[in-house]
């Protein structure tokens, strides 16, 4: 039999805990954390491209759309909001770090100033670097949307030069790969090459700092651990592909920085952040962490779906705060907070050098402030 690689997961990839946290509301006014007041001319806008790890509402709100069905959004904002989690996701935390409101989904753009106040989120659940399914805008198309807004004078050059971009690419292209195992290396190279083209294009449009996520350990997603029979451990073979992708991505980003003044491209290492939050040993075995069952999702089954009789096709954990994963592929809000905490040391690079020094100086106070707001020790 011809050996093939076919991920059985389709990663519609892309945080409030039962706590009190004063993040900017989705449609709220700009808030400026006290720690950021020392940062002069910090980023005023965030532009987001990618998939469901970054989508905050671009997926169409229909009855068939999972992120618009209960129990999604049960922690924040208390009802489905188009986020693929029980609450806040990565861009929400990045925006909070920058001291701005979470950027509006592009779907809500109606030509008004309010929707573009903090930038724009173009990420779409299920999207890839290349085409994944009909009607899903790939990353090039998402960047085209920003280009169109520039041509319509919705944004000025200053808007872009005072912004930062976040790009997530977390596996949907691999979810669509049905080729031979020996063709995987070439496929990885094509994905990372196109990612490099996309990052360069965003920067050349005027965005001074562009952050791209290294891919999370796909072999640790519940969808993979359950389907491969490796639960409660990660699938090492799948993680090997992830590591190769990240190695190739690093080479591409290093080359871009060598060719571009100011080293504007930054990698946010989701692989290291996930394994740190889950205390993964040897890329396979979860160790002791704040999550009692690290690789078990809070919403198990066909999360958000009901059968013809109205019976739920999923089970829900008692407390999402105790689960790193929300569903079979996406972190919970608590999971995203753990990932964000692990990424904190990388985030000063989103600022210009002088700003980064000031932000790093205040990092310890920022950690204390977030923990105090979230009422955790």
């Amino acid at each position: 039999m011809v050996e093939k690689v076919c991920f059985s997961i389709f990663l519609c990839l892309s945080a409030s805990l039962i706590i009190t946290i004063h993040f900017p509301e989705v449609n709220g006014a700009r808030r400026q954390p006290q720690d950021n007041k020392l940062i002069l001319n910090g980023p005023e806008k965030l532009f987001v491209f990618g998939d469901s790890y970054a989508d905050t509402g671009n997926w169409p709100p229909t009855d068939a759309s999972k992120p618009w069905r209960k129990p999604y959004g049960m922690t924040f904002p208390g009802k489905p909001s188009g986020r693929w989690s029980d609450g806040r996701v990565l861009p929400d935390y990045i925006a909070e770090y920058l001291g701005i409101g979470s950027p509006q989904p592009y779907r809500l753009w109606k030509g008004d100033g309010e929707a573009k106040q903090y930038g724009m989120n173009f990420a779409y659940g299920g999207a890839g670097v290349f085409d994944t399914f009909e009607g899903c805008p790939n990353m090039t198309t998402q960047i085209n949307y920003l280009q169109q807004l520039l041509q319509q004078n919705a944004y000025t050059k200053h808007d872009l030069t005072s912004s930062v971009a976040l790009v997530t690419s977390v596996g949907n292209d691999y979810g669509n790969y049905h080729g031979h195992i020996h063709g995987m290396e070439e496929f990885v190279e094509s994905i990372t090459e196109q990612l490099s083209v996309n990052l360069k294009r965003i920067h050349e449009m005027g965005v001074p700092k562009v952050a791209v996520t290294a891919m999370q350990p796909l072999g640790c997603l519940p969808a993979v651990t359950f389907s491969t029979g490796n639960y409660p451990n990660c699938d090492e073979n799948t993680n090997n592909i992830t590591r190769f992708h990240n190695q190739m991505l690093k080479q591409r980003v290093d080359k871009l920085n060598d060719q571009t003044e100011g080293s504007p491209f930054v990698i946010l290492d989701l692989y290291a952040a996930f394994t740190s939050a889950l205390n993964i040993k040897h890329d396979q075995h979860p160790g002791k962490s704040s999550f009692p069952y690290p690789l078990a999702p809070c919403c198990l089954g066909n999360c958000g779906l009901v059968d013809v009789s109205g019976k739920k096709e999923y089970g829900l954990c008692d407390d999402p705060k105790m689960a790193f994963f929300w569903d079979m592929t996406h972190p919970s809000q608590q999971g995203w907070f753990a990932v964000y905490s692990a990424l904190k040391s990388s985030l000063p690079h989103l600022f210009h050098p002088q700003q980064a020094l000031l932000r790093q100086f205040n990092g310890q106070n920022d950690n204390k402030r977030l923990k105090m707001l979230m009422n955790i020790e």
Side-chain angles (χ1 to χ4, degrees):
M1 179 181 289
V2 178
E3 184 182 8
K4 292 187 176 182
V5 173
C6 177
F7 290 100
S8 60
I9 52 172
F10 180 74
L11 305 177
C12 280
L13 297 174
S14 28
S16 118
L17 314 170
I18 303 176
I19 49 176
T20 300
I21 178 168
H22 302 291
F23 278 83
E25 293 299 321
V26 178
N27 299 313
R30 175 186 173 111
R31 73 182 294 267
Q32 185 75 21
Q34 290 182 347
D35 291 345
N36 285 0
K37 289 183 178 178
L38 291 176
I39 302 173
L40 302 177
N41 302 318
E44 298 173 358
K45 288 178 172 55
L46 174 63
F47 293 102
V48 183
F49 309 88
D51 39 53
S52 60
Y53 271 27
D55 188 352
T56 57
N58 281 315
W59 191 277
T62 66
D63 291 340
S65 299
K66 274 192 173 184
W68 291 100
R69 298 174 67 100
K70 295 179 180 180
Y72 286 85
M74 62 177 289
T75 303
F76 173 86
K79 61 181 180 180
S81 66
R83 289 169 171 80
W84 295 80
S85 183
D86 65 307
R88 295 175 174 87
V89 294
L90 184 60
D92 298 311
Y93 285 104
I94 300 298
E96 163 68 11
Y97 180 86
L98 296 174
I100 62 176
S102 192
Q104 290 268 13
Y106 177 67
R107 182 182 61 84
L108 299 180
W109 167 246
K110 295 180 176 62
D112 59 334
E114 181 67 22
K116 67 169 189 171
Q117 184 176 2
Y118 310 117
M120 195 79 73
N121 188 326
F122 303 95
Y124 194 101
V129 175
F130 301 121
D131 290 338
T132 50
F133 64 90
E134 187 176 355
C136 182
N138 65 27
M139 194 173 295
T140 299
T141 301
Q142 293 176 27
I143 299 171
N144 288 344
Y145 291 156
L146 176 58
Q147 185 70 55
Q148 292 168 9
L149 292 179
L150 289 173
Q151 293 170 351
Q152 296 167 8
N153 296 318
Y155 287 108
T156 66
K157 186 173 182 60
H158 171 76
D159 287 329
L160 266 66
T161 57
S162 61
S163 72
V164 64
L166 171 66
V167 177
T168 64
S169 178
V170 296
N172 288 318
D173 292 285
Y174 296 105
N176 272 358
Y177 181 73
H178 303 283
H180 196 283
I181 183 65
H182 299 301
M184 178 58 74
E185 181 176 344
E186 182 178 348
F187 188 59
V188 173
E189 289 178 352
S190 67
I191 290 174
T192 54
E193 172 60 27
Q194 185 59 45
L195 259 175
S196 174
V197 171
N198 293 341
L199 300 177
K200 182 178 180 181
R201 182 184 173 196
I202 294 169
H203 176 63
E204 289 179 344
M205 291 169 71
V207 180
K209 287 287 183 178
V210 182
V212 60
T213 58
M215 206 156 63
Q216 79 285 11
L218 288 178
C220 298
L221 300 182
V224 175
T225 63
F226 279 68
S227 65
T228 59
N230 283 286
Y231 181 84
N233 296 311
C234 303
D235 180 66
E236 187 174 2
N237 291 329
T238 307
N239 279 347
N240 285 339
I241 296 172
T242 307
R243 287 196 297 273
F244 179 63
H245 169 99
N246 290 342
Q247 179 184 357
M248 293 299 300
L249 177 63
K250 184 178 185 305
Q251 291 177 10
R252 304 284 191 192
V253 170
D254 286 346
K255 183 177 180 180
L256 280 177
N257 280 326
D258 288 342
Q259 297 172 341
T260 314
E261 184 179 356
S263 298
F265 305 100
V266 179
I267 291 179
L268 299 183
D269 194 347
L270 287 190
Y271 194 101
F274 271 57
T275 55
S276 173
L278 295 169
N279 195 19
I280 301 292
K281 305 292 186 182
H282 309 296
D283 294 309
Q284 189 172 8
H285 308 290
K288 185 178 180 180
S289 71
S290 59
F291 304 101
Y293 303 99
L295 303 187
C298 176
C299 192
L300 180 60
N302 293 320
C303 193
L305 300 184
V306 296
D307 62 21
V308 291
S309 66
K311 183 180 179 181
K312 296 176 181 177
E313 296 185 1
Y314 60 91
L316 203 60
C317 68
D318 293 332
D319 185 359
K321 185 170 63 174
M322 304 304 292
F324 178 85
F325 286 104
W326 165 245
D327 59 17
M328 298 297 279
T329 51
H330 305 93
S332 65
Q333 176 172 286
Q334 180 69 26
W336 275 124
F337 178 73
V339 168
Y340 164 72
S341 299
L343 290 173
K344 286 291 288 293
S345 63
S346 302
L347 298 183
H349 297 293
L350 299 179
F351 297 90
H352 294 301
Q354 297 88 342
Q355 298 164 351
L357 286 174
L358 286 170
R359 194 65 174 90
Q360 204 161 25
F361 177 79
N362 289 303
Q364 187 174 7
N365 289 334
D366 187 57
N367 279 331
K368 291 179 179 177
R369 182 179 66 86
L370 272 175
K371 289 182 178 180
M372 181 177 66
L373 288 172
M374 298 183 71
N375 295 328
I376 60 177
E377 296 180 355

